[in-house]
Amino acid sequence: LDYQHVQVPFEITLWIMLASLAKIGFHLYNKLPSVVPESCLLIFVGLIMGGIIYGLNDRSPPVMDSDIFFLYLLPPIVLDAGYFMPSRPFFENIGTILLYAVVGTIWNVFGIGFSLYGICQVKAFRLQDVSLLHNLLFGSLIAAVDPVAVLAVFEEIHVNEKLHILVFGESLLNDAVTVVLYTLFRSFCEMPTIKSMDVFAGVGKFFVVGLGGVLVGLSFGFTAAFTTRFTKDIRVIEPLFVFLYSYLSYLTAEMFHLSGIVAIISCAMGMKRYVEANISLKSHTTVKYFMKMWSSVSDTLIFIFLGVSTIGENHEWNWPYICFTVIFCLIWRALGVLVLTFFVNRFHVNTITSKDQFIIAYGGLRGAICFSLVFLLPDFHRKKLFIAATTVVILFTVFIQGMTIRPLVDLLAVKRKRESAPTVGEQIHIRFLDHLLAGIEDISGHWGQYYWKDK
Amino acid sequence: LDYQHVQVPFEITLWIMLASLAKIGFHLYNKLPSVVPESCLLIFVGLIMGGIIYGLNDRSPPVMDSDIFFLYLLPPIVLDAGYFMPSRPFFENIGTILLYAVVGTIWNVFGIGFSLYGICQVKAFRLQDVSLLHNLLFGSLIAAVDPVAVLAVFEEIHVNEKLHILVFGESLLNDAVTVVLYTLFRSFCEMPTIKSMDVFAGVGKFFVVGLGGVLVGLSFGFTAAFTTRFTKDIRVIEPLFVFLYSYLSYLTAEMFHLSGIVAIISCAMGMKRYVEANISLKSHTTVKYFMKMWSSVSDTLIFIFLGVSTIGENHEWNWPYICFTVIFCLIWRALGVLVLTFFVNRFHVNTITSKDQFIIAYGGLRGAICFSLVFLLPDFHRKKLFIAATTVVILFTVFIQGMTIRPLVDLLAVKRKRESAPTVGEQIHIRFLDHLLAGIEDISGHWGQYYWKDK
């Protein structure tokens, strides 16, 4: 028996197998997935697995390695999200999405950070040693809505397209803000004094990280589109290029500390139209199916690992801090959505209804990104408290919010996604109106969205 | 810049990218691939890459890691080969294939081993320190025909189906013999004395390794077939099971020192029919395309790495030994094919013509398996000589034989593969004759191939 020799691939294969079998298992009982979201079930499986490992070995099970998460598990999901992003609603709402993603996330980071600092001043809680900077750092990692968790829940509740793209787009694009604020506060924590210069550099860095990500992504995307022009004779490796270039864009962005998520999304959205025209139909089916398969497996593994990593002894249970974290996460998100939507609605004809606002605020699920970031924190004496708080916030949002959002959507009668594809007549009308509005905008000299879409 | 962080996936992606781009490059010039086989071109690219690395770093470029080869690069190719194995010609010729694979390989191992030992006795060559056991060990790794090299060349020359399956089937099934003889001689080399018991144990081990591989493969194959019965609700992860179970069968077989190649082929052939009936059409396209893509990439990487690893300073150029190795490889293979075919033809109506025999003997290409095995040898003072001899044999067979086999096939007017699919009339006739012959065999009480096929 030579287990050492095959250990690495064998264990990876077994984990993936476990994940796939768990998925099959849930679907055998048709009633279960309609009540409990799959993500909750998977975390539950992970908790059981973690408990078994903990019981057998008598020590904490291995936590999800942040490197594995960011380098191998996250990219397939984001690639899938970017490649199948419905581009029309996305670009129609890009302003609102960016507002939520950038201003909303900054609002949450500072709101949560400062109010938790306030809590730390209460002597009875014995938290006076947690500095403002540490609270802000914690805020920067806990504030971001998680695309994986959002996708897992929103794919099952079928809300209308606009609502879906608002929450999901925000969860993707806030990565740039998270990357900047997280690295900024982390380096501030290690600096002896902070000059005002550093703060301005941070603001400038945000544009570098975000726009740099877009630039890296687009350049790889167009290279991919160009490469697929030459694959007529060897159809068999066409799908490969889609995956290789997207992954390279992600890795390159990560290498330069840009936003990898923004890069891979730009890459996927940039190349999609050209690649689809160049590659054969069968290659396209392969790309589509493999992307879906890969992201589904990654997603499953992430939730299982989340569960496994929760078990163990690296938590410090200071309940006041943890409870207030959950409460502040909810309050600041609700406030942020209300204030931002107030401004958005003043400039739009299609306003966001108060029901939609509630779902946007309530759909702010946290997930594996926070979890990986908190483990990446430099060692300091309160790290275990932050880990515990993050774990509780994730479990609270995924379990409580994730399980109640579907009944709430039913209760509030939120507008659902239409099931059928638009008829030819509808398509013609939509196209006709687009051209008409572009013409009107052109005549009136107003450069609106239709003008740009027509370009 | 944080290169350390992304190094591993980044470099892997770049290697795959290089391989794919090289493939595209060759196909842009339509004339090149019709003269030179792709495998030669890829080795050539590898040689250039190796030269560049050697020139820049002033030390030997990294050689292909045997673990990477056996655990990650070989399985996709063998899986592809097994899954798309034409089962009718394979089972019709299974006896002949096994004869070539088992008896032929043993014949080659001992022939090459003993005659090289003879060469070592010539004082002028200064090789007296190479023992008989070391020569046999070397024979066991150099004797086996390589499936990757055979596939790469034979896919381009389109010989008739029977000839193709004879050479290709042999190259796959001889793995069991190679595994047994290689590990046997390796352990003999480390033993102080060899008892006759050990030799008998070796013979018994052959059956364990071969049949054990079949058993492991079939059990995983049927589990896979069974699992896909429950995937009706989640079509998206269906293709995954095909890959996971096949890979697990390979790893499990390797773990128990059984023949991994035999296991994965049995697994693929065992599950194919059931899986195809269970999974959706689109999943099936994904499986097919992804398998082809994966094996094509692995194949490309193997040949490039072969080239890269050739450059460097780990060779000992004892020319008499090397030249005689090449000559003996050719002679013993030719003799073996002649003798074995003589017996085969006595018991078959469809005889193997002398032209076919020549192509079978000439198509005995060596490749990356020998190369990986020679690097796995335990360190001893003549290891570099064996590495040099293996490299020369591989380059000789792939370049000289691989490039001349196509003109020879044309020259000898070897029967080609028919290009068109059989008509419905032909299919009906074939099916009718099958049933008729099965009936005749049944009446006459003779349990021939038709009897078993009808079961």
Side-chain angles (χ1 to χ4, degrees):
Chain A
L1 196 75
D2 188 4
Y3 184 60
Q4 207 64 35
H5 177 54
V6 298
Q7 186 178 12
V8 177
F10 197 73
E11 289 184 357
I12 293 174
T13 317
L14 279 187
W15 273 111
I16 300 177
M17 186 71 101
L18 170 80
S20 321
L21 290 179
K23 271 203 128 135
I24 289 191
F26 301 152
H27 281 267
L28 280 185
Y29 297 94
N30 285 321
K31 278 183 189 161
L32 208 55
S34 64
V35 181
V36 188
E38 212 180 79
S39 41
C40 299
L41 290 173
L42 290 169
I43 291 185
F44 200 71
V45 170
L47 287 173
I48 295 171
M49 290 287 303
I52 294 172
I53 298 175
Y54 189 56
L56 290 179
N57 292 353
D58 210 22
R59 58 192 172 81
S60 306
V63 294
M64 175 156 60
D65 189 315
S66 298
D67 262 5
I68 292 180
F69 174 73
F70 281 113
L71 292 183
Y72 305 109
L73 292 176
L74 188 58
I77 299 179
V78 184
L79 173 63
D80 179 63
Y83 198 80
F84 294 104
M85 177 90 79
S87 56
R88 195 188 155 102
F90 180 74
F91 283 113
E92 272 176 5
N93 296 298
I94 183 81
T96 318
I97 292 172
L98 277 177
L99 194 72
Y100 284 140
V102 179
V103 183
T105 307
I106 294 175
W107 163 286
N108 275 311
V109 170
F110 285 97
I112 295 171
F114 278 112
S115 39
L116 278 178
Y117 182 62
I119 295 299
C120 291
Q121 301 314 308
V122 179
K123 281 203 177 135
F125 297 157
R126 292 194 204 152
L127 288 160
Q128 280 115 315
D129 55 333
V130 185
S131 70
L132 176 61
L133 259 180
H134 275 123
N135 272 314
L136 284 173
L137 179 58
F138 180 63
S140 75
L141 69 87
I142 203 75
V145 175
D146 187 82
V148 182
V150 165
L151 202 64
V153 167
F154 273 69
E155 281 214 323
E156 291 179 7
I157 58 175
H158 305 293
V159 293
N160 65 74
E161 219 174 20
K162 187 178 172 187
L163 185 52
H164 183 259
I165 203 76
L166 284 181
V167 181
F168 183 50
E170 179 203 335
S171 72
L172 286 172
L173 298 188
N174 64 20
D175 179 57
V177 181
T178 308
V179 168
V180 173
L181 289 182
Y182 180 77
T183 48
L184 199 70
F185 289 131
R186 232 182 102 160
S187 50
F188 281 179
C189 281
E190 283 153 9
M191 281 183 198
T193 55
I194 300 156
K195 293 172 197 149
S196 57
M197 259 307 285
D198 297 324
V199 179
F200 282 110
V203 177
K205 214 179 157 192
F206 167 71
F207 289 98
V208 174
V209 167
L211 295 180
V214 173
L215 217 70
V216 168
L218 284 183
S219 48
F220 275 101
F222 287 121
T223 319
F226 184 71
T227 310
T228 49
R229 287 190 56 183
F230 301 102
T231 51
K232 284 224 174 53
D233 296 322
I234 21 171
R235 292 288 187 200
V236 81
I237 55 170
E238 278 173 352
L240 203 63
F241 285 108
V242 175
F243 297 110
L244 285 181
Y245 279 111
S246 323
Y247 194 43
L248 274 185
S249 77
Y250 182 84
L251 292 178
T252 311
E254 287 282 306
M255 197 158 70
F256 293 104
H257 291 295
L258 306 174
S259 164
I261 293 184
V262 171
I264 201 169
I265 285 181
S266 323
C267 178
M269 292 181 82
M271 77 170 139
K272 189 185 182 192
R273 187 173 292 207
Y274 305 99
V275 165
E276 279 182 7
N278 283 336
I279 68 179
S280 77
L281 198 68
K282 287 206 170 168
S283 298
H284 191 224
T285 309
T286 309
V287 168
K288 259 166 61 182
Y289 261 64
F290 220 79
M291 235 178 233
K292 285 266 168 247
M293 191 179 95
W294 222 326
S295 81
S296 148
V297 170
S298 278
D299 179 274
T300 312
L301 282 177
I302 287 174
F303 284 114
I304 289 186
F305 279 142
L306 258 185
V308 171
S309 313
T310 306
I311 307 286
E313 282 150 4
N314 35 24
H315 302 290
E316 183 195 334
W317 300 107
N318 182 312
W319 283 108
Y321 193 84
I322 293 172
C323 292
F324 275 109
T325 307
V326 174
I327 294 168
F328 287 139
C329 279
L330 287 173
I331 292 178
W332 284 103
R333 176 152 182 93
L335 280 179
V337 170
L338 280 179
V339 173
L340 290 176
T341 317
F342 174 74
F343 287 107
V344 168
N345 278 347
R346 288 194 56 179
F347 297 101
H348 279 77
V349 185
N350 286 325
T351 54
I352 300 168
T353 64
S354 49
K355 282 177 193 170
D356 286 356
Q357 288 177 39
F358 176 76
I359 296 296
I360 293 174
Y362 202 73
L365 308 180
R366 268 68 164 184
I369 292 187
C370 314
F371 197 77
S372 302
L373 285 178
V374 81
F375 274 100
L376 279 181
L377 283 181
D379 271 323
F380 80 113
H381 64 289
R382 288 290 194 173
K383 188 174 169 182
K384 287 188 174 183
L385 172 63
F386 285 179
I387 292 177
T390 311
T391 308
V392 171
V393 170
I394 293 172
L395 293 185
F396 180 84
T397 55
V398 172
F399 274 87
I400 311 289
Q401 292 179 219
M403 278 168 74
T404 50
I405 198 165
R406 193 201 301 252
L408 280 172
V409 167
D410 290 339
L411 198 74
L412 294 173
V414 173
K415 211 176 132 202
R416 295 303 184 92
K417 196 168 72 179
R418 51 181 299 169
E419 291 299 321
S420 54
T423 62
V424 179
E426 281 178 299
Q427 284 178 351
I428 293 173
H429 272 95
I430 292 170
R431 185 71 68 88
F432 171 71
L433 280 173
D434 281 358
H435 282 294
L436 189 71
L437 285 165
I440 292 172
E441 284 186 353
D442 208 6
I443 292 167
S444 65
H446 170 75
W447 289 356
Q449 48 166 319
Y450 293 99
Y451 175 82
W452 288 111
K453 202 187 287 165
D454 204 42
K455 277 284 154 193
Chain B
L1 196 76
D2 189 5
Y3 184 60
Q4 207 64 35
H5 177 55
V6 297
Q7 187 178 12
V8 176
F10 197 74
E11 288 184 357
I12 293 174
T13 317
L14 279 187
W15 273 111
I16 299 178
M17 186 70 101
L18 170 79
S20 320
L21 290 179
K23 270 203 129 135
I24 289 192
F26 302 152
H27 280 268
L28 280 185
Y29 297 94
N30 285 321
K31 278 183 189 161
L32 208 55
S34 65
V35 181
V36 188
E38 212 180 79
S39 42
C40 299
L41 291 173
L42 290 169
I43 291 185
F44 201 70
V45 170
L47 287 173
I48 295 172
M49 290 288 302
I52 293 173
I53 298 174
Y54 189 55
L56 290 179
N57 292 354
D58 210 23
R59 59 192 172 81
S60 306
V63 293
M64 176 158 60
D65 189 316
S66 299
D67 262 5
I68 291 179
F69 174 73
F70 281 113
L71 292 183
Y72 305 108
L73 293 177
L74 189 58
I77 300 178
V78 184
L79 173 62
D80 179 63
Y83 198 80
F84 294 103
M85 176 90 80
S87 56
R88 196 188 156 102
F90 179 75
F91 283 113
E92 273 176 4
N93 296 298
I94 183 80
T96 318
I97 292 172
L98 277 177
L99 195 71
Y100 284 140
V102 179
V103 183
T105 307
I106 294 175
W107 164 286
N108 275 310
V109 169
F110 284 96
I112 295 171
F114 278 112
S115 38
L116 278 177
Y117 182 61
I119 294 299
C120 291
Q121 301 315 308
V122 179
K123 279 202 178 138
F125 297 156
R126 292 193 205 153
L127 288 160
Q128 281 114 316
D129 55 333
V130 186
S131 71
L132 176 62
L133 259 181
H134 276 122
N135 272 314
L136 284 173
L137 179 58
F138 179 63
S140 75
L141 68 88
I142 203 76
V145 175
D146 187 81
V148 182
V150 165
L151 202 64
V153 167
F154 273 68
E155 282 215 324
E156 291 179 8
I157 58 175
H158 304 293
V159 293
N160 65 73
E161 218 174 20
K162 186 178 172 186
L163 184 51
H164 183 260
I165 203 75
L166 283 181
V167 181
F168 183 50
E170 178 204 336
S171 71
L172 286 172
L173 298 189
N174 64 21
D175 179 58
V177 180
T178 308
V179 168
V180 173
L181 289 183
Y182 180 77
T183 48
L184 199 70
F185 289 132
R186 231 182 102 160
S187 51
F188 280 1
C189 281
E190 284 153 8
M191 281 183 197
T193 55
I194 299 156
K195 294 173 196 148
S196 57
M197 258 308 285
D198 297 325
V199 179
F200 283 110
V203 176
K205 215 181 157 190
F206 166 72
F207 289 98
V208 174
V209 167
L211 295 180
V214 173
L215 217 70
V216 168
L218 284 183
S219 48
F220 275 100
F222 287 121
T223 320
F226 185 70
T227 310
T228 49
R229 286 190 58 182
F230 301 102
T231 51
K232 283 224 174 54
D233 296 321
I234 21 171
R235 293 288 187 199
V236 82
I237 55 170
E238 277 172 352
L240 203 63
F241 285 109
V242 175
F243 297 110
L244 285 181
Y245 279 111
S246 324
Y247 194 44
L248 274 185
S249 77
Y250 182 85
L251 292 178
T252 311
E254 286 282 306
M255 196 157 70
F256 292 104
H257 291 294
L258 307 174
S259 164
I261 293 184
V262 171
I264 201 168
I265 285 181
S266 322
C267 178
M269 292 182 81
M271 77 171 136
K272 190 186 181 191
R273 186 173 293 208
Y274 305 100
V275 166
E276 278 182 9
N278 283 336
I279 68 179
S280 77
L281 198 67
K282 288 207 169 168
S283 298
H284 191 225
T285 310
T286 308
V287 169
K288 259 166 62 182
Y289 262 64
F290 219 80
M291 237 177 230
K292 285 266 168 245
M293 190 180 95
W294 223 326
S295 81
S296 148
V297 170
S298 279
D299 179 275
T300 313
L301 282 176
I302 287 174
F303 284 114
I304 289 185
F305 280 142
L306 258 185
V308 171
S309 313
T310 305
I311 307 286
E313 282 150 4
N314 36 24
H315 302 290
E316 182 195 335
W317 300 107
N318 182 312
W319 283 108
Y321 193 84
I322 293 172
C323 292
F324 276 108
T325 308
V326 174
I327 294 168
F328 287 139
C329 280
L330 287 173
I331 292 178
W332 284 103
R333 175 150 183 94
L335 280 179
V337 170
L338 280 179
V339 173
L340 290 176
T341 316
F342 173 75
F343 286 107
V344 168
N345 279 347
R346 287 194 57 179
F347 297 101
H348 279 78
V349 185
N350 285 324
T351 55
I352 300 168
T353 65
S354 50
K355 282 177 193 170
D356 285 356
Q357 289 176 40
F358 176 76
I359 296 296
I360 293 174
Y362 201 73
L365 307 180
R366 268 68 163 184
I369 292 187
C370 313
F371 198 77
S372 302
L373 286 178
V374 80
F375 274 99
L376 278 181
L377 282 181
D379 271 323
F380 80 112
H381 64 289
R382 288 290 194 173
K383 188 175 170 182
K384 287 188 173 183
L385 171 64
F386 285 179
I387 292 177
T390 311
T391 308
V392 171
V393 169
I394 293 172
L395 293 185
F396 180 84
T397 55
V398 172
F399 273 87
I400 311 289
Q401 293 179 219
M403 279 167 73
T404 50
I405 198 165
R406 193 202 302 251
L408 280 172
V409 166
D410 290 339
L411 198 74
L412 294 172
V414 173
K415 209 175 133 203
R416 295 304 183 92
K417 196 168 72 180
R418 51 180 300 169
E419 292 299 320
S420 54
T423 62
V424 178
E426 281 177 298
Q427 284 178 350
I428 293 173
H429 273 95
I430 292 171
R431 185 71 69 87
F432 171 70
L433 281 173
D434 281 358
H435 282 294
L436 189 70
L437 285 165
I440 293 173
E441 284 186 353
D442 208 6
I443 292 168
S444 65
H446 169 75
W447 290 356
Q449 48 167 319
Y450 293 99
Y451 175 81
W452 289 110
K453 203 187 286 165
D454 205 42
K455 278 283 155 194

